[in-house]
Amino acid sequence: MTQAPVHSRPAPATAERIVGKPIDRVDGRAKTTGAARYSAEYPYPDIAHAALVHATVSRGRIAGIDAAAASAVPGVLAVITHLNAPAMKPPPPVSMMNLSSLASGTTVNYLNTDEVHWDGQPVAVVVAETLEAAQRAASLVEVTYETLPATFDFAAEEKNAKPQKSDLVQSGGATKGDAEAALAAAPVSVDLRFTTPPHNHNALEPHATTAAWDGDRVTVYDGAQNMYWVRDNLALKFGIPAANVRVISPYVGGAFGGKTMVWAGTILTVLAARVTARPVRLMLTREGVYRTVGGRTPSTQRVALGAEADGRLTALVHTSVTRLGRVGGGPEQVTSQSRHLYDAENILVQQNLVKLDLLPNTVMRAPGESIGTFALESAIDELAGELGMDPIALRMRNEPERNPIDGKRFAHRMLREAYARGAERFGWSERTPEPGSMRDGRWLVGMGVASAYHPSWQFAANVTVRLSADGTVVVRCGFHEMGMGGATAQAQIAADALGVPFEAVRVEYGDTALPTGPGAGGSGQTASIAASLVSACDKLKRSVLALARRSGDSPLRGQRMTGVEARDGGLYRTGRPGLGETYAAILTRAGRDSVEARVGSDTRVGAIAGQVRFMSKLMLDRRRWVKAASGAQFCEVRVDPDTGEVRVSRWVGVFDVGTVINAKTTAGQLRGGIVMGVGMALSEETLVDPRNGRIMNPSLAEYHVPVHADIPSIDVSWLDEPDPTMPLGLIGVGEVSITGAAAAIANAVHHATGRRVRDLPITLDRLL
Amino acid sequence: MKAFSYVSATDVAAALRAISTEPNAKFLGGGTNLVDLMREEIEQPDTIIDITRLPLSGIEELPGGGVRIGAMVRNSHLAAHRLIRTRYPMLSQAVLTGASAQLRNMATVGGNLLQRTRCLYFYDGAAACNKREPGRGCDAIGGFTRNHAILGASEACVATHPSDMCVALAALDATVVAESVRGVRRIPMTEFHVLPGETPDIETTLAADELVTAVELPDLPVAATSAYRKVRDRASYAFALVSVAAALETSGGAVSAVRLALGGVAAKPWRAYQAEQVLLGAPATDETFERAADAELAPAVAQSQNAFKIELARRAIVATLRRLLTEGSAA
Amino acid sequence: MVEIRMRVNGVMEALDLEPRVSLLDALREHLGLTGTKKGCDQGACGACTVLVDGERINSCLALAVQYDGREITTIEGVGDGERAHPLQSAFVRHDGFQCGYCTSGQICSAIGMLAEHGSGAPSAVTEHLSADTIELSDAEIRERMSGNLCRCGAYNGIVGAIREAASGEAGRDVMEAVR
């Protein structure tokens, strides 16, 4: 950590910093009064409603469609199928120089083909005057199929998996030394197999779209994690310029990766609106979300560890199999954390893939690490048991100085500190190591730990900042708000950067008409915008100073930026409290209503330049550093000795997430990841019938996400040390806290009961 | 949801007339199950007869010492009622473990009796289900059967009854009061639901034109020492994997009175007569409780994924009886 | 079509509806009250929670025609014009939400829950069912609120907000607002 800060900025000398404070969300009132509008809530007087018809075979061709009964339902405007749908362009080939090419959830050109590629693929969309008529008519569309041979049983097909090829961004495997030989020679070893089931995001807001055409321009309200991908994808599909598509998405009712790609519902709403020449709204049914929006792939994983008797790791093997759809999906970086967490002499990691005739998988909160840490961190706990070592001591013995797999430097690494603080807050020393040795009344008590790890990302972001003569500031950037509190955080950053009160800053987001913002993914949105916002504020201050410098009356006459600081609503000479003036004074004297600064360009050339800058920075960064958020997860469980029911009773998470912008929203996000981790550990599983590839529990009643009663008070804290290589020193907080969570629970369950469960979820039948 | 016509009945006679004259009509109570099934198009009535305005919302003591519960009493009101909380605590508990507070505020006692299974294959219109479409087959067998029956199933159907309230009512020897244009009929709770056999589409002994007007609880002193234990996949808001409704009284170390029923194990709330027989008069010990559970579960047959439920039911029975013995009633 | 009249947030509304229209869709699509959310349309998430004559229900499983003549309170009717209901401000202070989609349901549910608790109603975790007063512990709040899912996992903040609003001065305000 001797590296000079790249973007970090000294705190204002006098004014109190707003960054770091637990400020209430700026959209709190809108969200608690029902005023916040989500994408199905934009009124049009002549709105029509759509409903989807889903295929009921896994692979085949549509042999016939009888829409007579559906069309006869009073109020039905159209039954759109592949027989009558206008032609759309197929999704583009994937290119890293055009990231929006990644946007398609699948390669299927919906309703432009008679081919069926998974059970649930939309084969028709019905549009009607009322929601009730649309849904009723959709159920009356009779579709017959010629079925084709298909493979969909992951457990059976797993053996046919092929090694994942590496590309620019993702590495399918890596080796250091000869891990298998070292494993065979190790005095102490474990060699274990883990499985994790498919998961669904289950954002509370089902995917919803409202689309209205005006000539060859279309306005689309769509809950999205990347509005620009939606815009570019729709423009391509419907053969219109991207400038003709405006996507508006100020409130997204949860996403967790499920609204990253463009899925069928969005496209078919826009299609339905075009066919009927009416504004159309489609909110997927909950079942429709399961059938048309990908979820997290299942996995099988092998983790083998070899160690000397003193705990020093000599071998670390982590291999995985995950699935893709035959028509899309991406590899999960299941072995990601295993390249970075332990200083093993010999390492072998390899990810393998099998393609099935199922709805393609997609990203879901910490894709890769969330399930990868379950296997690795459970295995470390098992090895600690074999060695008779404390599981934290084993981790600390193998805590690396440099990145284990390739010797690169860590940008930032504070796992030791996280464990030390966590152990103290949790009371780890109270734990008696013997499994089954702790009780509270009739409950068996167990304590477990695991490491959290998630790489940090930074994307391109265009930002404008406008300062008005009345002292107010408007930040504009087309970013996404699914609950992270982005507008609040960016307003805090702008307030500090310009030395204005938090209340003076307004942030505009959620609209493709704004300067192009980053997608919400990889926990990278806040840092990405912050980098551009700080630069834009610097530019703005220079412009304002230039106005002041020109005036003979200004106390800032002749000053350079290096001698000036922003505070108290203006610019003042550093260390000379009285010398300076307010922005209002400077602008008024200069006869200006406002001053604006911009970072990044939305012209075609500008966009390409931005993409090239982003990719080259990414590549350069990756050559220099390993960057990540990390943390130590501590949990206590109670297990009913009669029934095997597991209840999480205590949680302490200590995270290294660099600078924290907002203590309140950060705590919320960290807790939220842990809550989803509790679900992953104990109850969540999407049931895909191995006999036909159909999802059998597409409902919130039968897919068990945690409820209030499942979640204890969660103690989260952070080390608050800036990462010197990240903007303002901040690392994303959206995903790291789901990682390690399932392993911490599995380890605690083992400690409580002596039972080691290597297959998620840890339902009570696995403990009887 | 298919379009239907709507009638709101203001007295029982009108409701009974409507059900006997309107073709393909259904009574609608709180709607928590029927509206869901109509939206899924599993139920497709042509006429809905809203019975929530019928004057059947009272809970009153009967002359003989029992309690009469009107069919339109909301689940939440039933659970919170003093008489129920103190004299039949297992019933309060059973109701309180069901669904969510919002649903309990809507759901009626009469409707809860007629709740239909949560079998995944019953709910999925694309799957074969003899309950939904007699003769089509059963895709649940060989499929996801974690929540399915271990007792009383047939080759035609392995679904379970999802109600918690009914399990307590079966243990309490409740009586269902049903009315039709032909008159009033009293059906013992244990005979209200039927096992699937060859006709899993037939779930109760209630005739299509009969209206449940009340449920009556007998005067049952042992019920004051009772509890309901529900085992499920999350801490709340989930259907039972296995549940136990138990009432226990001991005298001189031996079981002097007992009532026991199981939920989540069969197509009907399962009154554990075999276990009760073993328990009555025997020493109130873990050993007896285990013998009783074994006797009840001896005929249990597992599906592909639910063998654990046999052991779980056994343990839940023993644990519930043990707690009643050592910690007393939920009241 | 059936004509019904309901008092919604204090305003008498006349509606001409198909009997199959749910109370939720009547509110959202016919009255433009989109604060009440649709999360599952099957009674499994609680996002659609509204108060009917002061009791919380899931409006997705309620046919609007069944509620003819009743008094409905949605999130838009919680609070007093510009003045936020104490629970609303407590949710903001405690960060009892992230995306905001379950929030309307959580707040309406909490109002109904506090009234139920105030009337002495027990829950599945109440130790002694016959007790006259039941302390509103965190475990009681969690059980009683379990019909409202929050996928963002803001449960701690929600419980904190309810606990604060139910106690002390703010609590009295809440109870008054409930009554």
Side-chain angles (χ1 to χ4, degrees), chain A residues 47-99:
Chain A
I47 193 94
H49 299 263
L52 299 181
V53 180
H54 303 281
T56 53
V57 299
S58 277
R59 188 160 165 260
R61 283 181 186 280
I62 299 170
I65 295 189
D66 182 352
S71 304
V73 170
V76 167
L77 299 166
V79 180
I80 309 167
T81 71
H82 73 285
L83 299 173
N84 60 8
M88 289 180 286
K89 294 229 174 56
V94 168
S95 150
M96 289 315 293
M97 291 320 293
N98 169 20
L99 289 180

Side-chain angles (χ1 to χ4, degrees), chain C residues 132-143:
Chain C
D132 284 325
T133 54
I134 298 158
E135 189 205 338
L136 194 62
S137 63
D138 285 359
E140 284 281 357
I141 296 176
R142 288 182 189 126
E143 165 58 27

Side-chain angles (χ1 to χ4, degrees), chain A residues 487-744:
Chain A
T488 314
Q490 300 304 333
Q492 288 177 267
I493 292 168
D496 274 0
L498 295 174
V500 299
F502 173 75
E503 295 73 20
V505 184
R506 191 177 87 238
V507 180
E508 294 180 0
Y509 59 95
D511 186 339
T512 53
L514 294 168
T516 307
S523 299
Q525 189 173 251
T526 306
S528 306
I529 304 159
S532 300
L533 177 57
V534 169
S535 308
C537 289
D538 286 344
K539 275 168 95 169
L540 184 78
K541 285 181 283 189
R542 280 197 295 277
S543 302
V544 174
L545 183 61
L547 292 177
R549 278 160 57 105
R550 271 187 239 125
S551 163
D553 299 335
S554 173
L556 297 168
R557 188 181 61 243
Q559 288 300 311
R560 292 173 171 279
M561 210 54 226
T562 47
V564 169
E565 66 191 20
R567 60 179 161 84
D568 301 330
L571 296 178
Y572 293 86
R573 288 177 54 185
T574 310
R576 304 282 296 276
L579 283 182
E581 52 185 340
T582 64
Y583 294 124
I586 300 169
L587 266 60
T588 306
R589 187 175 49 240
R592 298 281 293 268
D593 293 337
S594 65
V595 179
E596 185 169 288
R598 161 180 281 267
V599 164
S601 162
D602 286 315
T603 63
R604 201 178 157 73
V605 174
I608 292 168
Q611 211 57 259
V612 170
R613 259 200 314 279
F614 156 69
M615 283 307 288
S616 47
K617 176 171 172 13
L618 178 72
M619 292 303 133
L620 183 66
D621 258 10
R622 289 221 164 169
R623 271 210 295 278
R624 290 169 72 189
W625 318 103
V626 169
K627 301 193 196 196
S630 61
Q633 307 261 31
F634 289 75
C635 92
E636 179 189 273
V637 299
R638 269 136 218 266
V639 182
D640 186 310
D642 297 316
T643 60
E645 292 162 284
V646 178
R647 300 282 181 260
V648 176
S649 48
R650 266 191 330 124
W651 200 287
V652 170
V654 180
F655 298 94
D656 170 23
V657 289
T659 305
V660 162
I661 305 296
N662 184 317
K664 192 172 283 196
T665 54
T666 295
Q669 279 217 81
L670 291 173
R671 288 198 184 99
I674 292 165
V675 170
M676 202 176 274
V678 171
M680 180 180 146
L682 296 180
S683 59
E684 293 187 32
E685 176 172 16
T686 307
L687 301 172
V688 181
D689 197 316
R691 299 171 301 181
N692 56 16
R694 185 166 173 85
I695 293 174
M696 288 311 301
N697 62 337
S699 115
L700 286 170
E702 319 295 344
Y703 180 108
H704 293 125
V705 308
V707 298
H708 271 285
D710 291 306
I711 302 302
S713 176
I714 296 170
D715 176 297
V716 291
S717 59
W718 44 84
L719 300 169
D720 218 10
E721 284 286 325
D723 180 318
T725 71
M726 290 295 283
L728 293 179
L730 76 92
I731 315 174
V733 299
E735 294 169 277
V736 64
S737 68
I738 191 178
T739 71

Side-chain angles (χ1 to χ4, degrees), chain B residues 101-102, chain C residues 46 49-51 56-58 87 102-116 144-148 162:
Chain B
Q102 290 95 312
Chain C
T49 303
V50 299
L51 299 163
R56 51 180 169 161
I57 67 158
N58 287 344
L87 260 171
C102 74
T103 314
S104 306
Q106 300 275 1
I107 291 173
C108 287
S109 186
I111 292 172
M113 184 274 280
L114 291 172
E116 290 161 15
R144 289 163 191 262
M145 290 298 294
S146 280
N148 291 84
I162 294 172

Side-chain angles (χ1 to χ4, degrees), chain A residues 139 645 691 694 705 765, chain B residues 41 124 139 146 229 234:
Chain A
S139 77
E645 292 162 284
R691 299 171 301 181
R694 185 166 173 85
V705 308
D765 43 307
Chain B
E41 306 218 332
D124 181 8
D139 276 349
R146 219 165 156 268
R229 173 80 164 94
R234 59 184 176 195

Side-chain angles (χ1 to χ4, degrees), chain A residues 313-568:
Chain A
L313 282 175
T314 53
L316 188 163
V317 177
H318 191 172
T319 65
S320 65
V321 178
T322 63
R323 66 161 154 80
L324 309 172
R326 195 98 53 197
V327 289
E332 284 249 338
Q333 297 299 97
V334 179
T335 68
S336 154
Q337 71 291 319
S338 302
R339 304 159 194 231
H340 310 297
L341 275 177
Y342 297 108
D343 198 9
E345 268 171 40
N346 301 280
I347 298 176
L348 164 64
V349 291
Q350 180 62 51
Q351 293 161 180
N352 304 286
L353 300 166
V354 59
K355 285 188 179 178
L356 299 178
D357 297 299
L358 294 170
L359 169 59
N361 70 310
T362 192
V363 291
M364 179 168 163
R365 206 169 199 166
E369 294 86 8
S370 55
I371 54 177
T373 50
F374 165 64
L376 178 66
E377 292 297 287
S378 293
I380 288 284
D381 201 67
E382 291 203 51
L383 181 67
E386 293 292 322
L387 288 162
M389 272 181 90
D390 177 86
I392 299 177
L394 175 60
R395 287 180 172 88
M396 292 306 100
R397 165 161 290 275
N398 292 287
E399 176 63 13
E401 291 301 315
R402 285 183 168 240
N403 192 44
I405 193 91
D406 52 21
K408 283 180 200 163
R409 275 174 301 167
F410 291 120
H412 185 77
R413 176 95 170 186
M414 300 186 73
L415 212 44
R416 280 184 194 281
E417 292 84 344
Y419 270 104
R421 186 191 291 189
E424 196 182 318
R425 289 178 84 93
F426 184 76
W428 182 253
S429 59
E430 317 268 299
R431 177 182 184 262
T432 55
E434 191 61 30
S437 63
M438 299 185 77
R439 281 202 171 234
D440 179 13
R442 67 193 182 91
W443 292 94
L444 298 166
V445 176
M447 297 182 181
V449 288
S451 296
Y453 185 92
H454 187 263
S456 54
W457 289 84
Q458 191 188 333
F459 307 100
N462 296 349
V463 174
T464 65
V465 183
R466 193 178 65 228
L467 171 71
S468 295
D470 63 3
T472 59
V473 174
V474 178
V475 175
R476 303 174 82 235
C477 175
F479 66 87
H480 307 81
E481 166 56 23
M482 306 108 65
M484 312 85 98
T488 314
Q490 300 304 333
Q492 288 177 267
I493 292 168
D496 274 0
L498 295 174
V500 299
F502 173 75
E503 295 73 20
V505 184
R506 191 177 87 238
V507 180
E508 294 180 0
Y509 59 95
D511 186 339
T512 53
L514 294 168
T516 307
S523 299
Q525 189 173 251
T526 306
S528 306
I529 304 159
S532 300
L533 177 57
V534 169
S535 308
C537 289
D538 286 344
K539 275 168 95 169
L540 184 78
K541 285 181 283 189
R542 280 197 295 277
S543 302
V544 174
L545 183 61
L547 292 177
R549 278 160 57 105
R550 271 187 239 125
S551 163
D553 299 335
S554 173
L556 297 168
R557 188 181 61 243
Q559 288 300 311
R560 292 173 171 279
M561 210 54 226
T562 47
V564 169
E565 66 191 20
R567 60 179 161 84
D568 301 330

Side-chain angles (χ1 to χ4, degrees), chain A residues 168-192:
Chain A
L168 265 178
V169 181
Q170 297 190 316
S171 153
T175 58
K176 180 175 86 170
D178 186 342
E180 294 286 6
L183 181 69
V188 183
S189 66
V190 293
D191 195 339
L192 307 163

